[in-house]
Amino acid sequence: MELMFYAVPAVIAAVAITMAVKVVRRSLELRRAWSSGLTAEARCLHRYTTTSSHGDNGRTTTTLHHVYEFTPSAGHPVRFEEANGSTTTIEGDFVTVHYAADRPEKATAHAPSPVKDAASTVGQLCFLGLMLAFCVFFMVTANDLFGSDFP
């Protein structure tokens, strides 16, 4: 039974760490695309939404996705999908995308806003750090409560 007081927080901590890695990766991809200076005109091929529910409270989240296609300077067409795009972009619209020459599939149609991205990244990492700290605190407290030498 004591194992549950270590296993559940460890799983939550692992999820928080995984999410933090994803947040940092996406931020670096955006910065690389924006700082490369390379742009192209892309066409919106498809627009769709995904909906996910969060528990028994009935709250749902809807995310807008766009699928774009553009031809970078290398000459081969590239398709990429991006979440949380502009609500005014519909299928057939042309938008400017930013991309890095070595990773055109990691392009973005988001307008450059490094300060907003940095603030968002820091905020998300702070939240995930608090989750991780709470998990560690919980496991240490459980260890002290049970008086065991587990982990």
mmCIF file of all heavy atoms in Angstrom, residues 83-115:
data_model
loop_
_atom_site.group_PDB
_atom_site.id
_atom_site.type_symbol
_atom_site.label_atom_id
_atom_site.label_comp_id
_atom_site.label_asym_id
_atom_site.label_seq_id
_atom_site.Cartn_x
_atom_site.Cartn_y
_atom_site.Cartn_z
ATOM 1 N N ALA A 83 -1.180 23.784 -34.494
ATOM 2 C CA ALA A 83 -2.327 24.007 -33.615
ATOM 3 C C ALA A 83 -2.385 25.466 -33.192
ATOM 4 O O ALA A 83 -1.387 26.179 -33.231
ATOM 5 C CB ALA A 83 -2.224 23.115 -32.386
ATOM 6 N N ASN A 84 -3.564 25.892 -32.788
ATOM 7 C CA ASN A 84 -3.802 27.233 -32.251
ATOM 8 C C ASN A 84 -3.469 28.340 -33.244
ATOM 9 O O ASN A 84 -2.887 29.354 -32.884
ATOM 10 C CB ASN A 84 -3.028 27.442 -30.943
ATOM 11 C CG ASN A 84 -3.438 26.457 -29.887
ATOM 12 O OD1 ASN A 84 -4.614 26.174 -29.723
ATOM 13 N ND2 ASN A 84 -2.463 25.903 -29.182
ATOM 14 N N GLY A 85 -3.850 28.135 -34.473
ATOM 15 C CA GLY A 85 -3.638 29.150 -35.487
ATOM 16 C C GLY A 85 -4.728 30.209 -35.468
ATOM 17 O O GLY A 85 -5.622 30.204 -34.620
ATOM 18 N N SER A 86 -4.671 31.095 -36.419
ATOM 19 C CA SER A 86 -5.632 32.186 -36.519
ATOM 20 C C SER A 86 -7.026 31.646 -36.849
ATOM 21 O O SER A 86 -7.185 30.796 -37.728
ATOM 22 C CB SER A 86 -5.192 33.158 -37.615
ATOM 23 O OG SER A 86 -6.198 34.104 -37.853
ATOM 24 N N THR A 87 -8.019 32.166 -36.168
ATOM 25 C CA THR A 87 -9.392 31.725 -36.421
ATOM 26 C C THR A 87 -9.920 32.280 -37.745
ATOM 27 O O THR A 87 -10.910 31.785 -38.260
ATOM 28 C CB THR A 87 -10.329 32.175 -35.285
ATOM 29 O OG1 THR A 87 -10.245 33.596 -35.151
ATOM 30 C CG2 THR A 87 -9.949 31.510 -33.980
ATOM 31 N N THR A 88 -9.250 33.275 -38.285
ATOM 32 C CA THR A 88 -9.714 33.865 -39.545
ATOM 33 C C THR A 88 -9.126 33.180 -40.772
ATOM 34 O O THR A 88 -9.542 33.468 -41.888
ATOM 35 C CB THR A 88 -9.366 35.371 -39.591
ATOM 36 O OG1 THR A 88 -7.954 35.530 -39.493
ATOM 37 C CG2 THR A 88 -10.062 36.114 -38.473
ATOM 38 N N THR A 89 -8.159 32.284 -40.585
ATOM 39 C CA THR A 89 -7.567 31.568 -41.714
ATOM 40 C C THR A 89 -8.448 30.372 -42.057
ATOM 41 O O THR A 89 -8.744 29.536 -41.201
ATOM 42 C CB THR A 89 -6.139 31.082 -41.371
ATOM 43 O OG1 THR A 89 -5.340 32.204 -41.028
ATOM 44 C CG2 THR A 89 -5.523 30.361 -42.553
ATOM 45 N N ILE A 90 -8.873 30.317 -43.316
ATOM 46 C CA ILE A 90 -9.716 29.213 -43.770
ATOM 47 C C ILE A 90 -9.016 28.485 -44.912
ATOM 48 O O ILE A 90 -7.998 28.954 -45.432
ATOM 49 C CB ILE A 90 -11.114 29.707 -44.213
ATOM 50 C CG1 ILE A 90 -11.000 30.723 -45.349
ATOM 51 C CG2 ILE A 90 -11.868 30.293 -43.043
ATOM 52 C CD1 ILE A 90 -12.325 31.121 -45.952
ATOM 53 N N GLU A 91 -9.578 27.347 -45.301
ATOM 54 C CA GLU A 91 -9.001 26.568 -46.394
ATOM 55 C C GLU A 91 -8.911 27.417 -47.653
ATOM 56 O O GLU A 91 -9.855 28.114 -48.019
ATOM 57 C CB GLU A 91 -9.841 25.325 -46.654
ATOM 58 C CG GLU A 91 -9.778 24.332 -45.525
ATOM 59 C CD GLU A 91 -10.643 23.102 -45.767
ATOM 60 O OE1 GLU A 91 -10.962 22.802 -46.926
ATOM 61 O OE2 GLU A 91 -10.978 22.447 -44.768
ATOM 62 N N GLY A 92 -7.730 27.364 -48.296
ATOM 63 C CA GLY A 92 -7.508 28.120 -49.519
ATOM 64 C C GLY A 92 -6.785 29.431 -49.284
ATOM 65 O O GLY A 92 -6.251 30.012 -50.226
ATOM 66 N N ASP A 93 -6.759 29.930 -48.047
ATOM 67 C CA ASP A 93 -6.056 31.182 -47.746
ATOM 68 C C ASP A 93 -4.549 30.992 -47.856
ATOM 69 O O ASP A 93 -4.021 29.910 -47.630
ATOM 70 C CB ASP A 93 -6.379 31.668 -46.332
ATOM 71 C CG ASP A 93 -7.742 32.321 -46.227
ATOM 72 O OD1 ASP A 93 -8.413 32.475 -47.268
ATOM 73 O OD2 ASP A 93 -8.132 32.677 -45.099
ATOM 74 N N PHE A 94 -3.875 32.080 -48.182
ATOM 75 C CA PHE A 94 -2.419 32.089 -48.220
ATOM 76 C C PHE A 94 -1.904 32.875 -47.020
ATOM 77 O O PHE A 94 -2.438 33.940 -46.704
ATOM 78 C CB PHE A 94 -1.912 32.710 -49.534
ATOM 79 C CG PHE A 94 -2.111 31.813 -50.713
ATOM 80 C CD1 PHE A 94 -3.269 31.903 -51.479
ATOM 81 C CD2 PHE A 94 -1.154 30.869 -51.065
ATOM 82 C CE1 PHE A 94 -3.476 31.070 -52.567
ATOM 83 C CE2 PHE A 94 -1.357 30.035 -52.153
ATOM 84 C CZ PHE A 94 -2.517 30.130 -52.904
ATOM 85 N N VAL A 95 -0.905 32.329 -46.369
ATOM 86 C CA VAL A 95 -0.307 32.966 -45.198
ATOM 87 C C VAL A 95 1.213 32.924 -45.329
ATOM 88 O O VAL A 95 1.761 32.115 -46.074
ATOM 89 C CB VAL A 95 -0.719 32.273 -43.879
ATOM 90 C CG1 VAL A 95 -2.211 32.369 -43.649
ATOM 91 C CG2 VAL A 95 -0.271 30.834 -43.849
ATOM 92 N N THR A 96 1.875 33.793 -44.603
ATOM 93 C CA THR A 96 3.334 33.787 -44.570
ATOM 94 C C THR A 96 3.790 32.845 -43.470
ATOM 95 O O THR A 96 3.308 32.924 -42.339
ATOM 96 C CB THR A 96 3.874 35.204 -44.294
ATOM 97 O OG1 THR A 96 3.440 36.071 -45.336
ATOM 98 C CG2 THR A 96 5.396 35.206 -44.221
ATOM 99 N N VAL A 97 4.698 31.955 -43.814
ATOM 100 C CA VAL A 97 5.254 31.039 -42.820
ATOM 101 C C VAL A 97 6.740 31.329 -42.646
ATOM 102 O O VAL A 97 7.414 31.784 -43.566
ATOM 103 C CB VAL A 97 5.042 29.555 -43.196
ATOM 104 C CG1 VAL A 97 3.572 29.197 -43.182
ATOM 105 C CG2 VAL A 97 5.675 29.213 -44.524
ATOM 106 N N HIS A 98 7.227 31.069 -41.470
ATOM 107 C CA HIS A 98 8.640 31.217 -41.131
ATOM 108 C C HIS A 98 9.196 29.821 -40.936
ATOM 109 O O HIS A 98 8.549 28.975 -40.310
ATOM 110 C CB HIS A 98 8.796 32.026 -39.837
ATOM 111 C CG HIS A 98 8.176 33.380 -39.925
ATOM 112 N ND1 HIS A 98 8.881 34.496 -40.281
ATOM 113 C CD2 HIS A 98 6.907 33.787 -39.717
ATOM 114 C CE1 HIS A 98 8.070 35.538 -40.287
ATOM 115 N NE2 HIS A 98 6.862 35.131 -39.945
ATOM 116 N N TYR A 99 10.404 29.590 -41.455
ATOM 117 C CA TYR A 99 10.982 28.252 -41.345
ATOM 118 C C TYR A 99 12.497 28.335 -41.327
ATOM 119 O O TYR A 99 13.091 29.305 -41.782
ATOM 120 C CB TYR A 99 10.516 27.347 -42.491
ATOM 121 C CG TYR A 99 11.039 27.760 -43.849
ATOM 122 C CD1 TYR A 99 12.172 27.163 -44.381
ATOM 123 C CD2 TYR A 99 10.403 28.744 -44.602
ATOM 124 C CE1 TYR A 99 12.649 27.531 -45.624
ATOM 125 C CE2 TYR A 99 10.876 29.118 -45.842
ATOM 126 C CZ TYR A 99 12.004 28.506 -46.347
ATOM 127 O OH TYR A 99 12.491 28.877 -47.572
ATOM 128 N N ALA A 100 13.110 27.316 -40.763
ATOM 129 C CA ALA A 100 14.560 27.184 -40.784
ATOM 130 C C ALA A 100 14.934 26.315 -41.987
ATOM 131 O O ALA A 100 14.225 25.355 -42.302
ATOM 132 C CB ALA A 100 15.057 26.538 -39.493
ATOM 133 N N ALA A 101 16.023 26.638 -42.651
ATOM 134 C CA ALA A 101 16.410 25.927 -43.877
ATOM 135 C C ALA A 101 16.636 24.443 -43.633
ATOM 136 O O ALA A 101 16.298 23.609 -44.477
ATOM 137 C CB ALA A 101 17.668 26.553 -44.463
ATOM 138 N N ASP A 102 17.175 24.092 -42.468
ATOM 139 C CA ASP A 102 17.473 22.688 -42.199
ATOM 140 C C ASP A 102 16.276 21.899 -41.688
ATOM 141 O O ASP A 102 16.301 20.679 -41.657
ATOM 142 C CB ASP A 102 18.634 22.566 -41.211
ATOM 143 C CG ASP A 102 18.354 23.264 -39.884
ATOM 144 O OD1 ASP A 102 17.529 24.192 -39.856
ATOM 145 O OD2 ASP A 102 18.977 22.874 -38.876
ATOM 146 N N ARG A 103 15.203 22.569 -41.266
ATOM 147 C CA ARG A 103 14.009 21.900 -40.742
ATOM 148 C C ARG A 103 12.737 22.583 -41.246
ATOM 149 O O ARG A 103 11.962 23.112 -40.453
ATOM 150 C CB ARG A 103 14.017 21.916 -39.215
ATOM 151 C CG ARG A 103 15.188 21.272 -38.510
ATOM 152 C CD ARG A 103 15.254 19.767 -38.560
ATOM 153 N NE ARG A 103 14.100 19.066 -38.073
ATOM 154 C CZ ARG A 103 13.966 18.575 -36.856
ATOM 155 N NH1 ARG A 103 14.910 18.739 -35.960
ATOM 156 N NH2 ARG A 103 12.888 17.912 -36.523
ATOM 157 N N PRO A 104 12.466 22.579 -42.552
ATOM 158 C CA PRO A 104 11.274 23.277 -43.048
ATOM 159 C C PRO A 104 9.965 22.666 -42.544
ATOM 160 O O PRO A 104 8.946 23.349 -42.478
ATOM 161 C CB PRO A 104 11.390 23.166 -44.571
ATOM 162 C CG PRO A 104 12.303 22.025 -44.810
ATOM 163 C CD PRO A 104 13.230 21.967 -43.639
ATOM 164 N N GLU A 105 9.987 21.389 -42.138
ATOM 165 C CA GLU A 105 8.768 20.746 -41.623
ATOM 166 C C GLU A 105 8.383 21.286 -40.249
ATOM 167 O O GLU A 105 7.286 21.040 -39.764
ATOM 168 C CB GLU A 105 8.922 19.225 -41.583
ATOM 169 C CG GLU A 105 9.876 18.702 -40.540
ATOM 170 C CD GLU A 105 11.358 18.771 -40.925
ATOM 171 O OE1 GLU A 105 11.680 19.224 -42.039
ATOM 172 O OE2 GLU A 105 12.183 18.369 -40.100
ATOM 173 N N LYS A 106 9.269 22.042 -39.614
ATOM 174 C CA LYS A 106 8.994 22.663 -38.313
ATOM 175 C C LYS A 106 8.633 24.138 -38.493
ATOM 176 O O LYS A 106 8.857 24.952 -37.606
ATOM 177 C CB LYS A 106 10.207 22.538 -37.387
ATOM 178 C CG LYS A 106 10.609 21.119 -37.098
ATOM 179 C CD LYS A 106 9.587 20.440 -36.236
ATOM 180 C CE LYS A 106 10.047 19.033 -35.885
ATOM 181 N NZ LYS A 106 9.088 18.329 -35.080
ATOM 182 N N ALA A 107 8.060 24.476 -39.620
ATOM 183 C CA ALA A 107 7.680 25.854 -39.915
ATOM 184 C C ALA A 107 6.536 26.301 -39.014
ATOM 185 O O ALA A 107 5.884 25.487 -38.352
ATOM 186 C CB ALA A 107 7.264 25.969 -41.376
ATOM 187 N N THR A 108 6.292 27.605 -39.007
ATOM 188 C CA THR A 108 5.189 28.153 -38.233
ATOM 189 C C THR A 108 4.523 29.285 -39.008
ATOM 190 O O THR A 108 5.192 30.054 -39.686
ATOM 191 C CB THR A 108 5.649 28.664 -36.854
ATOM 192 O OG1 THR A 108 4.514 29.165 -36.141
ATOM 193 C CG2 THR A 108 6.694 29.762 -36.968
ATOM 194 N N ALA A 109 3.216 29.355 -38.864
ATOM 195 C CA ALA A 109 2.466 30.455 -39.453
ATOM 196 C C ALA A 109 2.194 31.538 -38.415
ATOM 197 O O ALA A 109 1.613 32.563 -38.724
ATOM 198 C CB ALA A 109 1.153 29.953 -40.038
ATOM 199 N N HIS A 110 2.627 31.297 -37.176
ATOM 200 C CA HIS A 110 2.471 32.300 -36.129
ATOM 201 C C HIS A 110 3.410 33.474 -36.409
ATOM 202 O O HIS A 110 4.572 33.268 -36.758
ATOM 203 C CB HIS A 110 2.786 31.730 -34.750
ATOM 204 C CG HIS A 110 1.827 30.670 -34.297
ATOM 205 N ND1 HIS A 110 0.503 30.928 -34.050
ATOM 206 C CD2 HIS A 110 1.997 29.359 -34.044
ATOM 207 C CE1 HIS A 110 -0.101 29.823 -33.658
ATOM 208 N NE2 HIS A 110 0.790 28.841 -33.665
ATOM 209 N N ALA A 111 2.909 34.678 -36.232
ATOM 210 C CA ALA A 111 3.737 35.862 -36.406
ATOM 211 C C ALA A 111 4.809 35.893 -35.316
ATOM 212 O O ALA A 111 4.558 35.461 -34.191
ATOM 213 C CB ALA A 111 2.880 37.119 -36.321
ATOM 214 N N PRO A 112 6.002 36.383 -35.649
ATOM 215 C CA PRO A 112 7.062 36.427 -34.636
ATOM 216 C C PRO A 112 6.648 37.248 -33.412
ATOM 217 O O PRO A 112 6.237 38.398 -33.528
ATOM 218 C CB PRO A 112 8.224 37.105 -35.363
ATOM 219 C CG PRO A 112 7.969 36.861 -36.810
ATOM 220 C CD PRO A 112 6.475 36.848 -36.953
ATOM 221 N N SER A 113 6.736 36.623 -32.270
ATOM 222 C CA SER A 113 6.470 37.299 -30.999
ATOM 223 C C SER A 113 7.298 36.606 -29.909
ATOM 224 O O SER A 113 6.756 35.889 -29.078
ATOM 225 C CB SER A 113 4.983 37.271 -30.669
ATOM 226 O OG SER A 113 4.491 35.949 -30.699
ATOM 227 N N PRO A 114 8.622 36.833 -29.934
ATOM 228 C CA PRO A 114 9.501 36.131 -29.003
ATOM 229 C C PRO A 114 9.233 36.449 -27.533
ATOM 230 O O PRO A 114 9.382 35.576 -26.677
ATOM 231 C CB PRO A 114 10.906 36.558 -29.407
ATOM 232 C CG PRO A 114 10.756 37.624 -30.410
ATOM 233 C CD PRO A 114 9.348 37.656 -30.879
ATOM 234 N N VAL A 115 8.819 37.668 -27.228
ATOM 235 C CA VAL A 115 8.561 38.021 -25.832
ATOM 236 C C VAL A 115 7.334 37.268 -25.320
ATOM 237 O O VAL A 115 7.348 36.701 -24.217
ATOM 238 C CB VAL A 115 8.384 39.548 -25.674
ATOM 239 C CG1 VAL A 115 7.951 39.901 -24.265
ATOM 240 C CG2 VAL A 115 9.663 40.272 -26.049
#
